[in-house]
Amino acid sequence: MSNKVGDKDDDKVRLDKWLWAARFYKTRALAKAAIEGGKVHCRGERCKPGKEPRIGDELLIRIGFDERSVVVQALSGVRRGAPEAQALYRETAESIARREQAAAQRKAGALGVQTDGRPSKKQRRQIHRFHDGQD
């Protein structure tokens, strides 16, 4: 009898619960807040936390700087280990390439412009001349 309840529970699961079970967010509350904040799109549209994802649905999930495009492979409302959670979805190849490119750009930008500190008196004069010539 409990199997029927478990099967029914796996057939219909809320989106916030699925995101939590797939380990995209640490708590269901964070998953719900992300969905309500427009950080999760299902089939290209904003959705509600109570939406029921279906196998084959494409989700666009934005977490911090990363934006992942995943396809739902299985449904689960139970949070398990990372290997089992990764079996619930498949990230698209384009998404992986975009994330790697964005990470490389962030890493390159993190180096930024290296300076020796405050400009010298001569450099300040040059800056002022440059700004005065812009007007």
Side-chain angles (χ1 to χ4, degrees), residues 76-113:
S76 176
V78 181
R79 188 172 170 105
R80 295 205 169 103
E84 293 175 46
Q86 288 175 347
L88 297 178
Y89 63 92
R90 174 183 53 82
E91 189 171 2
T92 62
E94 302 88 40
S95 173
I96 294 170
R98 272 195 321 248
R99 279 193 313 113
E100 288 174 352
Q101 183 181 9
Q105 287 176 347
R106 281 196 308 272
K107 187 175 179 182
L111 300 175
V113 177

Side-chain angles (χ1 to χ4, degrees), residues 4-135:
K4 289 182 183 176
V5 172
D7 291 343
K8 181 184 174 196
D9 198 32
D10 282 347
D11 288 345
K12 293 189 175 185
V13 63
R14 292 171 52 101
L15 182 59
D16 59 346
K17 196 168 187 178
W18 185 86
L19 288 168
W20 167 74
R23 293 183 166 262
F24 285 106
Y25 298 98
K26 287 189 178 200
T27 65
R28 278 187 63 189
L30 288 174
K32 182 181 177 196
I35 294 168
E36 289 173 344
K39 304 229 183 311
V40 179
H41 289 76
C42 183
R43 293 183 227 123
E45 298 177 355
R46 282 183 72 161
C47 48
K48 294 183 179 181
K51 176 162 184 52
E52 296 174 357
R54 289 181 257 152
I55 294 174
D57 281 355
E58 186 169 340
L59 302 174
L60 186 66
I61 305 165
R62 198 172 330 121
I63 303 172
F65 291 116
D66 291 335
E67 191 171 276
R68 295 175 183 233
S69 180
V70 299
V71 177
V72 177
Q73 296 287 320
L75 300 175
S76 176
V78 181
R79 188 172 170 105
R80 295 205 169 103
E84 293 175 46
Q86 288 175 347
L88 297 178
Y89 63 92
R90 174 183 53 82
E91 189 171 2
T92 62
E94 302 88 40
S95 173
I96 294 170
R98 272 195 321 248
R99 279 193 313 113
E100 288 174 352
Q101 183 181 9
Q105 287 176 347
R106 281 196 308 272
K107 187 175 179 182
L111 300 175
V113 177
Q114 297 287 330
T115 63
D116 295 331
R118 293 176 50 180
S120 67
K121 190 171 183 177
K122 181 180 178 183
Q123 290 169 334
R124 275 197 307 276
R125 281 192 213 117
Q126 290 172 341
I127 291 170
H128 289 299
R129 266 189 241 123
F130 177 77
H131 285 294
D132 290 340
Q134 294 288 320
D135 294 337

